[in-house]
Amino acid sequence: AQSVAQPEDQVNVAEGNPLTVKCTYSVSGNPYLFWYVQYPNRGLQFLLKYITGDNLVKGSYGFEAEFNKSQTSFHLKKPSALVSDSALYFCAVRDNANQAGTALIFGKGTTLSVSS
Amino acid sequence: SQTIHQWPATLVQPVGSPLSLECTVEGTSNPNLYWYRQAAGRGLQLLFYSVGIGQISSEVPQNLSASRPQDRQFILSSKKLLLSDSGFYLCAWRSGAGGPYEQYFGPGTRLTVT
């Protein structure tokens, strides 16, 4: 079965420090991977994606993610956290078993809390 | 540019009442459309998706139904709401013409069933 795991419910970092939000996946075929951010009572905002090419993907708001095929991971990173980065982060993978609908399978989310 | 709208933003309905949530997309044609439910501010559950007018696929059997009467309109309905239908409902779209594969989400509807 295809799945996405976000092993940490919450990540706490101090402003200015680097942050990492972890994601691992299990999918048949090539992985198409995504990160989204959600602020309270809002829809999800697309941050970045990995489809093919460089393993380090750069996205919005200074975020980047590193694709590691051998470890089946796609961790989200930022060199210097801001208080405004505090939000709920979702990792997702394309459901390769559902080619027609191209649905996404989402992890359960990780709450990032950045303290000043 | 493309935009996605959902309404209403919030809704409080009694158990047993009907439901109609609407989602519309602007600035694109023949999108794939999706309805998700998010419970307790956490994981997203895919409810329905549609690849074209009148084409609806259900992912989870439940008290809800979906329809796509027009290319860029997606409606989530129920004849009789249950307490368990409470949650945050999100509509999303993606290009139907192959890639890119990311989905773009609307602002959501907060439904409370009392």
Side-chain angles (χ1 to χ4, degrees):
Chain A
Q2 302 180 109
S3 62
V4 175
Q6 293 181 242
E8 302 156 315
D9 285 344
Q10 179 147 347
V11 171
N12 299 309
V13 299
E15 188 173 32
N17 284 358
L19 69 88
T20 299
V21 182
K22 296 180 180 178
C23 172
T24 59
Y25 65 90
S26 173
V27 65
S28 57
N30 293 324
Y32 291 8
L33 298 156
F34 308 86
W35 275 102
Y36 287 83
V37 61
Q38 185 182 32
Y39 297 97
N41 294 311
R42 300 290 184 89
L44 277 67
Q45 295 179 31
F46 170 68
L47 281 178
L48 52 80
K49 66 182 176 183
Y50 172 84
I51 303 299
T52 187
D54 288 343
N55 290 341
L56 186 63
V57 178
K58 295 188 182 298
S60 305
Y61 312 120
F63 284 94
E64 57 190 27
E66 186 170 9
F67 170 67
N68 187 315
K69 187 173 182 178
S70 62
Q71 297 185 7
T72 62
S73 67
F74 189 55
H75 300 332
L76 181 70
K77 300 181 179 184
K78 188 173 183 181
S80 178
L82 300 172
V83 172
S84 58
D85 293 330
S86 298
L88 182 58
Y89 289 80
F90 289 98
C91 181
V93 64
R94 189 183 81 157
D95 183 356
N96 287 341
N98 185 342
Q99 295 287 344
T102 58
L104 297 181
I105 300 169
F106 285 84
K108 292 185 177 181
T110 298
T111 299
L112 173 66
S113 178
V114 182
S115 57
S116 58
Chain B
S1 63
Q2 301 86 6
T3 55
I4 178 169
H5 304 279
Q6 286 186 247
W7 64 88
T10 60
L11 192 60
V12 180
Q13 293 283 94
V15 168
S17 64
L19 173 73
S20 181
L21 303 182
E22 189 165 343
C23 171
T24 59
V25 181
E26 296 177 355
T28 188
S29 296
N30 196 30
N32 285 8
L33 296 171
Y34 307 84
W35 278 112
Y36 292 87
R37 178 168 58 202
Q38 185 178 28
R42 277 292 173 181
L44 279 74
Q45 179 185 37
L46 178 63
L47 302 175
F48 302 95
Y49 68 88
S50 172
V51 299
I53 296 173
Q55 300 178 61
I56 307 295
S57 296
S58 174
E59 290 293 301
V60 182
Q62 56 201 322
N63 188 41
L64 302 169
S65 61
S67 62
R68 185 171 176 174
Q70 301 179 42
D71 182 44
R72 290 168 290 177
Q73 184 185 32
F74 204 24
I75 296 172
L76 184 69
S77 303
S78 174
K79 293 182 179 179
K80 289 186 177 182
L81 283 169
L82 306 172
L83 285 174
S84 58
D85 291 324
S86 293
F88 193 48
Y89 288 82
L90 292 160
C91 181
W93 76 273
R94 59 141 293 194
S95 172
Y101 298 103
E102 64 268 25
Q103 295 178 13
Y104 295 93
F105 285 78
T109 295
R110 174 76 59 191
L111 172 65
T112 303
V113 182
T114 60

